[in-house]
Structures are given as structure tokens and as C-alpha cells.
Amino acid sequence: MKSPMSVAHYYETMEYGPAPEADGEARAWLKKHGAVFGHFVGGEFVAPHAGKHFPTFEPATGKTLARIAKGSAADVDRAVSAARMAQPLWERLGGYGRARHLYALARMLQRHARLFAVLEAIDNGKPLRETRDLDIPLAARHFLHHAGWAQLQERELADQLPIGVIGQIVPWNFPLLMLAWKIAPALAVGNTVVLKPAEFTSLTALLFAELAAQAGLPSGVLNVVSGDGTTGAMLVGHPGIDKIAFTGSTEVGRLIRQVTAGSGMSLTLELGGKSPFIVFEDADIDGAVEGVVDAIWFNQGQVCCAGSRLLVQESVAETFRKRLIRRMDSLRVGPPLDKAIDIGAVISPVQLERIRSLVETGVREGAVKYQAATELPQEGCFYPPTLLWNVHPSSTVAIEEIFGPVLVAMTFRTPDEAVMLANNTRYGLAASVWSETIGLALDVAPKLMAGVVWINATNLFDASVGFGGYRESGFGREGGREGIYEYLKPKAWSMRKQRVKPSVMSVSHDDPGLELPLIDRTPKLFIGGKQVRPDGNYARAVLSPKGRHLGEVGEGNRKDIRNAVAAARSAEAWSKATAHNRAQILYYLAENLSARSDEFAARIAALTGATIVEAKVEVNASIERLFSYGAWADKYEGAVHAPPLRGVALAMHEPIGVVGVACPDEAPLLALVSLVAPLIAMGNRVVAVPSERHPLAATDFYQVIETSDVPAGVINIVTGPRDGLVKVLAEHDDVDALWVFGSREASAAAEKLSSGNLKRTLVDHGFMMDWHDKLASEGPILLRHAVQVKNIWIPYGD
Ligand code: NDP
């Protein structure tokens, strides 16, 4: 017991007085607009075409703040036209010109930081302390950082072009920050934008657009159309949009994937999470408790990467629980403008109800609930910091994103068990690892299926460090070099032409002339390192261009794909093999192909009708390509970022996992090699469906694979009806990514059917690639799609 006269006693019993921030300037801005807002299109506010508005509320009081325009199809159309008109000039302005504008936007945010911080706190309910110290400065940092990318674009990104008009949809949890994450990179490299803010929180986007215009941003470069999900859906479905960048729920993200499938629109999705917060017994327990506060009670827990699943080692679990509860009791919940509160208001009554109901479910399913002994304001949407202890991994609250100030906790005994529990989720956005043993922390970080890992830290963000998920947390990155590529497309692909459908061929009984003799064997499929008969035991004829029967190949089916995927799954050791080892095997493949180059050239000539000289060029290009990826295997490396903190963030290139590959009919050997080699160079395992017309080029390749020490299951080849097999691959939940080259229909099916587990897709939309053009089909242009970047934050010092 502390003496009543001691400093510690006063420290612990001291009461906070209210410390409200003045909101006069924000209210005056609302008043200036009569608290009614139109869309911001073409550099000015415009009334909604259908004249409809909806109210926006203050979560802390429930009072109406303003009336916001509800976007209709006509409004979206108008905004897309304004963005389209503005885009060519904005692109032609050049990197330096755009850098000047982005710099001006950063300065504008800094100048009006207080106004933005207050308006955001009122509109969203989050504490001013957070908007002032995180949302606004970080938003400004994004514009500053990306002004830098604009400046360097012509030198560092010279082989890329802007995508065009970008539709961006953001959620309500970080309204201005998400705006900055989205529009800064898009504008930096020459795109123009139509942004739809969340229905609950449109105000800071409208303020931003207004002040950006005053700061000289050309009209039409940034357009804001407000509205609800139906307005978002109109933007997604608009044919004038070249790319959608979305942050929000996995459910809506999946819908957007389906709607945009086959349209040629590019897409990035930053979705939900259920991120683990792992505390090992050797962690600094008090530091980790403080980490939990930042992980789950920051922004009322309405954070996609919130450390919402506490995994604590059994030996320290009780100590940790007690200290956490003690800390919870000192958290203050209150009005967002009070600078002395820790937790503000939840966004809306709907969200509050969702949180309540999930917590009840958790308790019903066996969790022990503790809620902080903190006073809640009488009115508004407030929820106390909540701990659900003793949660079973299969409990609803351990699986579902709660998106509120609720921590679910479970224990583990060994590091392996911690990794298993951590990865036991469909999501993969972020993870925190707490241990004072650097070897343990750095061993565990790469094993976690998450796009961001914080070591002895949590919720660190920076414009120079990519952010984004694995698995159902979405694809694409925001921030860093990898983030800038999301708003660019390769110059080398811009001249591609749509493929003309090959005419259907029938077997010819004409005199074969000088063609090669018939082949009387039926190559099998190649699965798990062995040549195996197709499950259905059917074969299909392979014809020469003149329709002559050249041989037969196995007709792969659904079951063969399943077996091939299972073989690829179990070849996991390849993903952990050293890059040196993978390089050696790629060189060995090249060496063995080289030894048989004449035979391959003859086969290609017979299959495709190319001359022997042309066929030899293809074989030699394939050998060189294997050499090239042998070279890249240990050179396509990650980066060490230097965000503004004491420490580093390691951007690691990790394999995606099992990748399905469909090959086109053009250059049947070279295309197969060009697609498979970058994937295996980066540690992925592949299930390839070769050219449907010329599969014998691939089946001959089995023997090269067999003699080159490629571990079983790393490359699997299933011949047969390509587009049908693509569908099976797209629907298979153990396939992590899909590369589809060869047909527009297969590209569309791949995008649509892969929405189940949100596979990363790279498709050609029916455009033909020149496989002999190294700029278009070799190196980073494909390697970028063969890796996913994990950023591991390692702060150091005290
Ligand atoms: P949504 O995914 O519904 O909303 C995100 C954005 O998409 C909003 O601007 C929304 O508009 C818009 N939108 C909604 N439907 C469509 C559609 N069909 N097509 C295009 N755009 C659409 O998230 P919610 O705000 O409804 O939140 C629901 C849950 O999602 C939360 O409880 C939380 O679990 C999760 N979530 C995750 C976030 C993350 O960052 N990972 C962020 C926000 C929520 P509008 O706001 O007008 O509905």
C-alpha cells in the first residue's frame, strides 16, 4: 500500500480535468457551406444530379453534422469524364511538375493540420490526440514521400506508364489517411482520380478537395463523389475507370473482384484482418502490455491491422493478464475532442450493435469477459475496452473481424504452436511478435502469413514502407516502391494486340509432304516428379498446322489438377530452399535443354509450322531465359527501408506459394519457360497447363525436368483443355495465385472464380505477348508478380 502522501499515491489517484480542443474553426467551415455539401468535380462543388442528400452524424453525440450529396450514376459519370479530360495534361506535366503539386498538398495539410484534425475527430469519433498526432501528419508524409516518387519517376520508373483514371473507395476508419494513401501515389505518377469516401465520413475528403483546388491542383485531377455502397458500386462498374483501389471489408472486396473480372480494369484490395499479437515468455511484459493498448484500443479497435488476437505463452499468461487488466482500468473513454482521453466513440450505432453482439457470442462460446472499469459518456456510441480471455481458436470471436475495442486472448506453449495459431486464419494482414531474443523474433517473423510484421512494436506505418495483405486480406501494396507500381503499367505491354482466335482444325488425310513422321507414343501428365496417366484415361490428338495427326497427349481433368496441386503443396521445402540452390537448378535445366536443343527445335517446327531456323531461335531463347532466371534467383531482392524511427523495415520478397499457370499457343516452349521460370526462381511451386494446341513441346520438357534435380512437385504439368483446367485452378482453395495467358475468356474466368480465396491473378485479357521481346516478357516485369512483399519492422534502441 502506497503512503497517502507519496508521489506514487498522487500519481495513481490523480483525476484528469476535461481538456477539450476548440472546434470553432471546423464548425465555421461547416457553416460556411450551410452544412450541405455537393460532390467535388472538375475543381468545384457541384449539386448532385438527382438532388439527393443524406445526413452524416457525429458519433460522440448522435447529432447531425451535415448533409452530404448522394452520388447517382450521372454524378459518377460526370466525375469520371472530368478525370478523363484532366488526365493527359496531368501526365504531360511531367514528374517535376507533379512533384511541385504534391509538395503543395503536403504543405496545405500541414498548414491546416488543426482544422483537419478537429473535423476528423468530430466526424469519425476518434480521439483528437490520434488525428492530431497520427492521421494528419502521416497523411502529409504520404504526399511528401510521393512528391519524391513523382520527381524521380522519369529516372526510376522510366519503363512504366500511368494507368489512367483511378476509382478509389475508402472506409470510415481512417478517412483522410486512407485518402492520402490512395491519391498520393496515384496522382504522383500521372493518373487522375475519382474518390468515393465512406458514407459515415465524407467531410475531410471534401475539405481536402476544396483546399487542394485552392492550392492550385488542376481541376479534374481529383474528384470526390460522395454516397453509400451503391455509389461505390457505380464507380466500380463504370467503363471509364482503368483501375479500382479499394479498402474495406473482405466481403465487398470479393464482390468487387467478381464485378471487375474480365473487364481489363486493374485492382488492388486492402481488406480485413484478424492479426495476431504474439507474446513470448521472454518479452518485456510491460512493453508488450503497452503494445496491446496500441494494437487494439487505438482508434477504438476499428483498424484493419489491429492486433486483435492475443497469443501469450502459457508460462507468463497469468502475469500478463493481470497487468493488462490493470492497464485497461486506467484507460479513459470519452468525447473525441478531449485531449485527455484514450478511446473515443465507435463510428455508428450499427457498428456498436455488431460489437455487442459478437462479444455476447464470444461469451456464449466460452470466453471469460473482462470490461474495463471506466465510465462511459451518457450519450453517443461508446464501448468499453474489452478482453475476452480463454478463447478457443474455433470460437466466432477468434475468427471474425470484430472491428471494435475487443481483444480475444488464447495461450500457447511452444513457438511452433504460436506460429500455427497465428496462421490459423483466412486473413494475413499484419502480426506483432514480442520477444527480447532477437533470434526467436527473426525466426518467427518470416513464418507468419502476413504482409506486415512488427517486432516488439505494433501499428507502425510509413509512406516508404509497403502495407497490404496476404491471403484474404487482399492484394497489392500501399506505400514504398511496391506501392507505386500499383499505379503504373509496363510500357512494353502497351502495344500488345488482341489475339485472333485460331481456326478450328480437323485431322487431314492429305499427303503429309515433308512433315516429320508420326509419333506413336502418348505422353502422360507430370505430377509430383513422375509421369502419370491422366485420371480419366483419355487422350487428345495433337495436330500440325496442316491438320496432320502428330501424336496424342493425356486429357487432364479436375482430379489431375487436384493431384498436381497436392503435389505442389507438399513441395513446400522449395520455398525455403536457398536462392543459390534454386539458381543452380535453373542453370541445370538450361544445360539439359541445351543438350537436346536440336530435338526440341525439330519438335517445335513440326508442331507449329515454324521453320527449323525459327524453331531453333525459340529453343535458344528458352535456354537463355532459364539462364536469366538462374541469374535473377539470388538478385531480385527486397529492400531495407529507413522510415522515420530508430530502426529499419525489411521488405522481404517471399514466394506466394502454389501458382497455377496457363500457357498460350504462341511460342509454346518459350512461353512455358518464361512463365514457369520466374515463379520457381522466387520459390513458388507451379501447376502448369501448357499450350493446348502444341502441348508436345511441354511434355518433352518432362525429361529435362527429370534430369535436372528439380524436386518432385515443384513443377507439375497437366495437359488438356486449357480453359476448363484454368477454372478448376481458379476455384481451388490451395492455389494461391494464377497466371493466365492465352485467352480472354480464360482471363475473365480466372479473375472471377478466384474470388473465393482472393488469389493474386496475372492475366493477359487475350492480348498477345511477344515472348521474344525481353523487355516485355523477362525479368522484373514478371518477377514482381512472382513474389509478395512482407515488411518486417525492427525498431531498436530503448
Ligand atoms: P465496406 O467494405 O462496406 O465499406 C468500405 C467502402 O466501400 C465504403 O466506402 C463503402 O461505402 C463502399 N462500398 C460498400 N459496398 C460497396 C459496393 N458494393 N461496391 C463498391 N463500394 C462499396 O465496410 P463497412 O464500412 O460497411 O464496414 C463493415 C465491416 O467491414 C466492418 O465492421 C469491418 O469489419 C470491415 N471493415 C474493414 C476495413 C478495413 O480497413 N479492412 C475498413 C472498414 C470496414 P459506404 O461506407 O457508403 O457503405
Side-chain angles (χ1 to χ4, degrees):
M1 172 99 178
K2 296 181 182 96
S3 140
M5 301 302 288
S6 71
V7 173
H9 173 80
Y10 283 118
Y11 186 74
E12 281 182 10
T13 55
M14 206 162 38
E15 271 300 314
Y16 289 85
E21 176 74 17
D23 61 358
E25 208 189 328
R27 306 261 175 211
W29 178 75
L30 291 169
K31 201 164 162 203
K32 187 179 97 187
H33 288 276
V36 178
F37 292 86
H39 307 297
F40 198 88
V41 176
E44 58 184 355
F45 280 108
V46 296
H49 188 261
K52 290 199 178 139
H53 288 83
F54 60 89
T56 188
F57 301 97
E58 200 171 333
T61 62
K63 292 189 184 128
T64 304
L65 256 181
R67 296 185 61 76
I68 309 287
K70 182 166 162 38
S72 63
D75 297 324
V76 170
D77 205 42
R78 182 173 179 176
V80 173
S81 301
R84 178 64 61 204
M85 275 233 313
Q87 198 274 330
L89 262 184
W90 180 244
E91 181 178 348
R92 282 206 296 278
L93 182 60
Y96 173 58
R98 289 194 297 277
R100 294 276 300 253
H101 278 291
L102 266 84
Y103 178 73
L105 294 178
R107 301 290 291 145
M108 176 276 280
L109 272 175
Q110 288 169 336
R111 249 191 336 272
H112 297 284
R114 196 48 67 100
L115 171 60
F116 276 106
V118 172
L119 188 65
E120 193 79 310
I122 298 174
D123 195 19
N124 172 279
K126 61 169 76 189
L128 178 89
R129 224 158 37 88
E130 290 176 8
T131 58
R132 184 194 60 195
D133 299 344
L134 186 122
D135 297 56
I136 313 306
L138 195 50
R141 159 98 182 120
H142 268 261
F143 283 99
L144 213 55
H145 177 81
H146 287 95
W149 276 120
Q151 178 66 36
L152 300 178
Q153 182 177 5
E154 280 132 33
R155 181 198 157 98
E156 290 291 304
L157 305 161
D159 57 344
Q160 303 285 319
L161 294 169
I163 293 178
V165 175
I166 316 289
Q168 303 186 318
I169 300 173
V170 294
W172 41 257
N173 54 347
F174 292 94
L176 185 78
L177 188 56
M178 288 302 103
L179 169 149
W181 283 27
K182 294 259 175 309
I183 72 172
L187 299 188
V189 292
N191 305 284
T192 53
V193 164
V194 179
L195 176 99
K196 194 206 80 72
E199 179 186 354
F200 292 139
T201 53
S202 307
L203 291 173
T204 45
L206 295 167
L207 172 64
F208 182 90
E210 184 186 26
L211 294 181
Q214 283 172 20
L217 191 70
S219 55
V221 167
L222 167 65
N223 306 277
V224 179
V225 178
S226 50
D228 60 13
T230 56
T231 309
M234 287 167 196
L235 189 58
V236 169
H238 197 289
I241 294 286
D242 300 307
K243 177 193 170 94
I244 290 286
F246 171 82
T247 298
S249 62
T250 293
E251 192 190 352
V252 174
R254 183 170 286 124
L255 199 71
I256 293 176
R257 168 71 294 179
Q258 289 162 3
V259 172
T260 55
S263 66
M265 246 185 226
S266 71
L267 179 65
T268 46
L269 298 174
E270 199 271 274
L271 309 175
K274 192 77 192 176
S275 300
F277 187 103
I278 310 170
V279 182
F280 287 102
E281 60 190 359
D282 62 352
D284 164 0
I285 299 289
D286 290 323
V289 165
E290 219 41 54
V292 168
V293 173
D294 278 343
I296 189 67
W297 293 308
F298 162 61
N299 206 30
Q300 297 69 248
Q302 303 166 137
V303 183
C304 49
C305 54
S308 53
R309 272 190 306 145
L310 171 66
L311 310 178
V312 55
Q313 197 154 14
E314 208 171 81
S315 45
V316 292
E318 194 46 30
T319 310
F320 195 87
R321 191 184 66 84
K322 284 188 181 140
R323 292 198 205 172
L324 182 60
I325 283 178
R326 184 161 181 262
R327 181 68 180 92
M328 281 170 76
D329 285 340
S330 69
L331 291 171
R332 306 183 76 242
V333 182
L337 289 185
D338 184 342
K339 282 170 282 196
I341 61 117
D342 301 295
I343 297 175
V346 165
I347 187 73
S348 67
V350 179
Q351 189 66 12
L352 189 62
E353 197 36 53
R354 179 184 150 83
I355 297 167
R356 278 194 186 123
S357 135
L358 276 164
V359 168
E360 276 168 26
T361 307
V363 172
R364 240 190 349 266
E365 291 176 355
V368 178
K369 177 174 88 174
Y370 181 80
Q371 286 188 318
T374 175
E375 232 174 273
L376 300 186
Q378 294 302 306
E379 54 173 12
C381 295
F382 292 92
Y383 196 81
T386 301
L387 170 66
L388 295 178
W389 193 259
N390 214 10
V391 169
H392 194 272
S394 63
S395 169
T396 309
V397 288
I399 295 168
E400 295 299 323
E401 188 175 35
I402 300 176
F403 232 62
V406 182
L407 179 68
V408 304
M410 56 196 88
T411 59
F412 67 87
R413 288 187 178 161
T414 62
D416 281 350
E417 195 193 351
V419 170
M420 213 173 62
L421 282 171
N423 289 339
N424 182 26
T425 166
R426 63 196 171 108
Y427 295 115
L429 195 49
S432 278
V433 180
W434 293 76
S435 165
E436 290 297 292
T437 310
I438 186 136
L440 176 63
L442 291 180
D443 179 49
V444 165
K447 294 178 181 163
L448 297 171
M449 296 297 291
V452 183
V453 179
W454 294 291
I455 292 181
N456 293 328
T458 189
N459 278 340
L460 297 175
F461 310 101
D462 185 55
S464 68
V465 185
F467 181 88
Y470 281 23
R471 309 206 275 201
E472 290 182 41
S473 290
F475 42 76
R477 294 288 181 268
E478 297 187 298
R481 185 182 278 264
E482 59 269 34
I484 205 80
Y485 278 108
E486 304 289 352
Y487 289 100
L488 292 164
K489 60 183 181 193
K491 249 184 210 165
W493 288 0
S494 60
M495 301 306 282
R496 290 179 305 170
K497 299 236 161 25
Q498 267 291 334
R499 189 176 282 111
V500 184
K501 258 202 155 155
S503 55
V504 181
M505 291 188 307
S506 56
V507 178
S508 154
H509 300 289
D510 295 348
D511 175 3
L514 291 177
E515 285 195 8
L516 289 180
L518 289 174
I519 300 155
D520 60 357
R521 67 190 173 87
T522 302
K524 300 174 182 143
L525 314 179
F526 190 70
I527 296 178
K530 293 196 200 86
Q531 301 195 28
V532 295
R533 269 183 216 296
D535 167 71
N537 233 341
Y538 284 108
R540 62 164 48 209
V542 179
L543 308 180
S544 79
K546 289 188 181 158
R548 189 185 141 103
H549 188 275
L550 285 181
E552 292 181 340
V553 289
E555 180 83 345
N557 67 14
R558 179 174 289 273
K559 185 137 184 250
D560 297 310
I561 291 285
R562 278 212 301 267
N563 293 341
V565 172
R569 270 274 147 228
S570 49
E572 206 187 340
W574 181 253
S575 298
K576 294 178 188 139
T578 63
H580 168 73
N581 182 231
R582 295 197 295 260
Q584 276 192 317
I585 286 175
L586 280 151
Y587 287 130
Y588 202 16
L589 278 166
E591 185 186 324
N592 285 327
L593 179 59
S594 172
R596 300 175 57 177
S597 57
D598 288 347
E599 184 194 328
F600 269 86
R603 174 58 54 85
I604 288 171
L607 284 169
T608 63
T611 64
I612 279 288
V613 173
E614 286 164 344
K616 276 194 171 153
V617 169
E618 181 175 343
V619 177
N620 288 336
S622 305
I623 296 166
E624 188 181 343
R625 201 135 294 178
L626 287 165
F627 249 74
S628 168
Y629 286 109
W632 277 114
D634 62 356
K635 289 170 199 68
Y636 190 65
E637 293 173 311
V640 181
H641 295 305
L645 89 161
R646 266 207 301 165
V648 292
L650 305 181
M652 313 262 292
H653 283 174
E654 294 197 339
I656 303 167
V658 173
V659 184
V661 173
C663 302
D665 292 330
E666 310 90 54
L669 178 67
L670 180 58
L672 173 82
V673 166
S674 301
L675 294 171
V676 169
L679 284 164
I680 64 167
M682 293 296 107
N684 300 284
R685 294 93 76 195
V686 168
V687 176
V689 181
S691 152
E692 187 171 336
R693 279 185 103 194
H694 313 305
L696 293 171
T699 57
D700 278 359
F701 197 59
Y702 299 170
Q703 288 135 28
V704 176
I705 300 173
E706 279 170 335
T707 51
S708 303
D709 292 346
V710 179
V714 172
I715 305 175
N716 306 275
I717 298 178
V718 179
T719 51
R722 186 190 51 209
D723 291 6
L725 296 177
V726 162
K727 288 186 186 152
V728 181
L729 283 165
E731 285 172 337
H732 199 306
D733 277 345
D734 265 344
V735 175
D736 303 299
L738 203 50
W739 288 15
V740 175
F741 289 74
S743 105
R744 192 177 179 160
E745 296 73 23
S747 298
E751 288 189 334
K752 187 162 197 146
L753 301 175
S754 65
S755 65
N757 66 345
L758 288 169
K759 293 176 181 61
R760 282 126 190 81
T761 53
L762 174 66
V763 303
D764 73 359
H765 292 296
F767 288 99
M768 264 205 307
M769 183 93 105
D770 177 358
W771 297 100
H772 289 276
D773 177 357
K774 287 187 199 166
L775 278 181
S777 62
E778 182 182 304
I781 202 164
L782 288 174
L783 286 166
R784 244 191 305 284
H785 298 274
V787 295
Q788 47 191 352
V789 185
K790 172 185 280 176
N791 275 284
I792 304 179
W793 289 71
I794 312 173
Y796 44 70
D798 288 330

